[in-house]
Amino acid sequence: MPSVYIKTYGCQMNERDSDAVAAQLVAKGYSMASDPLKADVVLLNTCSVRDAAEQKAIGKMSHVASQLRSRKKNAVLGFMGCMAQSRGKELIDKLPDVDLVIGTQKFHHTVDHIGEVLSGKTNKVVDVEEEEGSEAAVREHLLDGASGAKSITSFVSIMQGCNQFCTFCIVPYTRGRERSRSIEDIVGECKNLVDHGVREVTLLGQIVTSYGRREIGIKDGKSAFVQLIEAVHQIDGIDRIRFTSPHPKGYGEDLVQAYGRLPKLCESAHIPVQSGSNSMLKRMHRGYTRERFLDIIHKLREVRPDIGITTDIIVGFPGESEEEFEATLSLYREVEFDNAFVFKYSTRRNTPAAELEQQLPTELIEERHAKLLSEVNQIGASRYETYIGKTMQVLVEGPSRRNKERMEGRTRCNRIVVFDGSERFRGQLVDLNIIRSGSFTLYGDPVILK
Ligand code: 5AD
Ligand code: SF4
């Protein structure tokens, strides 16, 4: 059978989609290749959130096409995901070597499309229509990693799309409107994962706090999202539950209280704030104020004082004034986030912000990016240092990515800890004494029980 190489750009949703496609291919007898230039099929699962991500995927595809086509005339080249969705056929016009363009509601048809091209039944496929029910089509998992080792943690896609329409964001256009899977369907997938050795699930969606708003609704004062967390919490064998990405406006009392009530819900939250300035939040169409955001953080820390909180911030949104940027810096200092992704604003086609006058000069965006990043690093380092001398429990995931000789796991508050250990620790909850902190990593020794 032919071999397939998949490269994934962008967020965890994309990683999850690629994993499901790989699992479907393997089930049909295809093998996975680690080198695109040796593969029979090359798929790039693309991201459109920033222009740089699109350019990278286009660059990669033209490189692969120029190298591979001369060696393997019949190799199949395809784009999947967000850029495939938003650019469609235009990608084939630009890169005529490309055979497949598969949109965000069509991942589960990838195997069939590859088969059609390989058998010569068709030449080019552009499949980017909407498809009812596609939110439930990302379900298969490639549970044995490349090394053949078992996965301890897994992503579970609970919904697709976003209705928030932040003015800078292309996601509502690439992923479509919000559509949620049923609670039973998601619980079924989680149980299957547990049967394969998974102990931690991360519930995934572009705006998970809006999960099931339309389809399920509020029951006993609990949002559909909280109902889902409760249902997953009841599954024997799951030790930890996380989710990403929420929206601040979804942190009602019910979700805050869930952190207090549900011990498997890990005390960590990635809550994108984007800006600390009210005028900017308004222009971004975020739907909350600085004060409301600070109130959420305060409430979460009241319920779980050890909670790890990270965020996303955009610098250089059109018209961002010095005062507005300073407001973001001051919010960052006030919250003392554990870490943040700081993004330089990137103009996205067809978004309302692309029409705004006063796009800022690149140098100013660079300058603000560097300034905020230095704050992120400084605050992160001092927060990580406070863990030295403490004992923390990690769920061991496998060998350290930085040093294969050592093992690594994550604390409940989502910090990576590296320690000396062997494969027998994989999947175990292990207590570690923290002895050192590096850049956004902790180092520990297993607690020896006397
Ligand atoms: N420019 C820069 N960053 C963006 N993000 C989304 N759209 C843009 C854009 N046009 C960032 C946001 C979001 C994260 C996934 O990507 O911070 O939370
Ligand atoms: Fe984009 Fe805003 Fe939706 Fe997040 S909430 S995916 S930033 S539109």
Side-chain angles (χ1 to χ4, degrees):
M1 280 296 274
S3 64
V4 185
Y5 169 86
I6 304 182
K7 183 169 173 68
T8 308
Y9 297 84
C11 64
Q12 285 118 328
M13 293 290 286
N14 277 15
E15 279 180 38
R16 176 70 199 96
D17 296 335
S18 293
D19 188 53
V21 170
Q24 288 166 2
L25 286 162
V26 168
K28 290 274 177 196
Y30 289 86
S31 61
M32 299 310 294
S34 52
D35 179 352
L37 301 184
K38 291 192 179 134
D40 302 300
V41 180
V42 174
L43 299 173
L44 303 186
N45 191 6
T46 57
C47 169
S48 284
V49 164
R50 283 167 295 276
D51 186 52
E54 289 201 349
Q55 295 314 324
K56 252 197 222 165
I58 289 173
K60 175 85 179 174
M61 187 59 94
S62 44
H63 174 75
V64 170
S66 67
Q67 301 281 310
L68 194 58
R69 272 274 182 261
S70 53
R71 291 189 222 170
K72 283 192 184 175
K73 212 166 97 340
N74 295 324
V76 178
L77 305 180
F79 281 120
M80 306 189 291
C82 287
M83 183 173 68
Q85 184 69 42
S86 68
R87 295 199 170 199
K89 180 177 168 300
E90 177 197 323
L91 287 169
I92 296 186
D93 299 338
K94 192 178 169 80
L95 294 167
D97 277 307
V98 170
D99 308 289
L100 299 175
V101 177
I102 299 171
T104 52
Q105 305 196 20
K106 299 292 183 179
F107 288 109
H108 52 298
H109 296 300
T110 306
V111 179
D112 291 341
H113 290 324
I114 291 173
E116 287 158 26
V117 176
L118 279 173
S119 67
K121 201 166 131 205
T122 171
N123 195 357
K124 306 268 174 201
V125 176
V126 178
D127 193 4
V128 294
E129 300 298 304
E130 289 182 7
E131 184 176 320
E132 207 173 314
S134 60
E135 66 278 4
V138 181
R139 47 170 67 248
E140 291 85 354
H141 290 260
L142 200 60
L143 283 162
D144 302 328
S147 59
K150 292 271 181 227
S151 305
I152 302 305
T153 62
S154 189
F155 294 136
V156 174
S157 173
I158 64 167
M159 68 180 299
Q160 290 284 334
C162 179
N163 293 356
Q164 179 64 26
F165 287 94
C166 298
T167 53
F168 51 80
C169 185
I170 199 169
V171 166
Y173 311 94
T174 58
R175 290 277 177 175
R177 298 299 86 76
E178 290 166 12
R179 288 110 54 214
S180 298
R181 296 173 68 183
S182 70
I183 292 181
E184 303 78 68
D185 197 19
I186 296 165
V187 166
E189 183 174 328
C190 292
K191 283 186 176 160
N192 181 41
L193 289 169
V194 168
D195 290 343
H196 285 86
V198 167
R199 304 189 62 179
E200 173 180 312
V201 291
T202 301
L203 307 176
L204 279 187
Q206 275 88 23
I207 180 161
V208 285
T209 38
S210 294
Y211 168 80
R213 263 194 317 174
R214 223 172 7 92
E215 299 89 341
I216 300 167
I218 296 173
K219 214 161 90 191
D220 302 331
K222 290 173 199 157
S223 64
F225 184 52
V226 170
Q227 294 169 46
L228 171 68
I229 297 174
E230 283 182 349
V232 174
H233 198 271
Q234 282 180 4
I235 301 172
D236 284 337
I238 287 191
D239 291 327
R240 292 175 164 194
I241 303 169
R242 304 183 190 278
F243 54 80
T244 199
S245 279
H247 188 285
K249 72 177 190 182
Y251 279 84
E253 255 334 279
D254 61 333
L255 183 53
V256 173
Q257 293 313 324
Y259 278 98
R261 278 190 300 120
L262 305 173
K264 294 180 184 178
L265 181 58
C266 286
E267 51 272 40
S268 83
H270 179 76
I271 318 179
V273 66
Q274 314 298 0
S275 168
S277 144
N278 280 337
S279 47
M280 182 69 85
L281 288 169
K282 204 165 195 169
R283 298 213 295 288
M284 289 176 160
H285 192 244
R286 288 293 292 172
Y288 53 87
T289 59
R290 173 191 176 101
E291 292 72 28
R292 170 75 187 121
F293 187 85
L294 288 171
D295 185 49
I296 293 164
I297 303 297
H298 178 73
K299 286 193 168 134
L300 286 172
R301 284 183 171 156
E302 235 171 30
V303 178
R304 291 271 184 104
D306 296 338
I307 193 165
I309 300 178
T310 55
T311 196
D312 290 343
I313 296 177
I314 297 178
V315 294
F317 183 86
E320 182 185 59
S321 68
E322 202 54 45
E323 293 73 45
E324 287 171 329
F325 175 64
E326 285 297 328
T328 297
L329 273 178
S330 92
L331 175 110
Y332 199 90
R333 292 184 189 123
E334 190 168 339
V335 174
E336 293 198 323
F337 290 98
D338 292 285
N339 200 355
F341 293 114
V342 182
F343 300 109
K344 298 173 212 163
Y345 170 73
S346 169
T347 310
R348 308 315 295 134
R349 57 190 170 276
N350 302 328
T351 59
E355 307 299 320
L356 296 174
E357 284 165 25
Q358 261 205 302
Q359 304 280 331
L360 298 193
T362 317
E363 307 80 67
L364 186 59
I365 298 181
E366 295 281 352
E367 195 183 299
R368 288 180 181 169
H369 182 257
K371 201 163 168 186
L372 183 52
L373 209 55
S374 122
E375 203 70 35
V376 169
N377 290 333
Q378 229 170 306
I379 291 175
S382 65
R383 283 190 70 86
Y384 272 64
E385 272 172 24
T386 62
Y387 288 94
I388 299 172
K390 291 197 173 150
T391 302
M392 300 186 91
Q393 188 180 69
V394 300
L395 177 60
V396 180
E397 293 179 14
S400 157
R401 269 157 282 192
R402 293 183 184 194
N403 175 357
K404 297 272 172 253
E405 304 293 302
R406 310 187 78 194
M407 298 296 279
E408 75 177 28
R410 270 171 209 271
T411 64
R412 289 175 54 94
C413 55
N414 214 15
R415 292 175 180 87
I416 291 176
V417 190
V418 175
F419 66 102
D420 274 328
S422 62
E423 270 292 331
R424 75 184 171 84
F425 283 103
R426 186 191 285 266
Q428 306 288 318
L429 292 166
V430 177
D431 285 332
L432 297 173
N433 286 326
I434 307 301
I435 49 172
R436 188 161 68 82
S437 72
S439 91
F440 298 106
T441 306
L442 297 171
Y443 298 85
D445 284 334
V447 173
I448 309 291
L449 295 174
K450 296 212 175 89

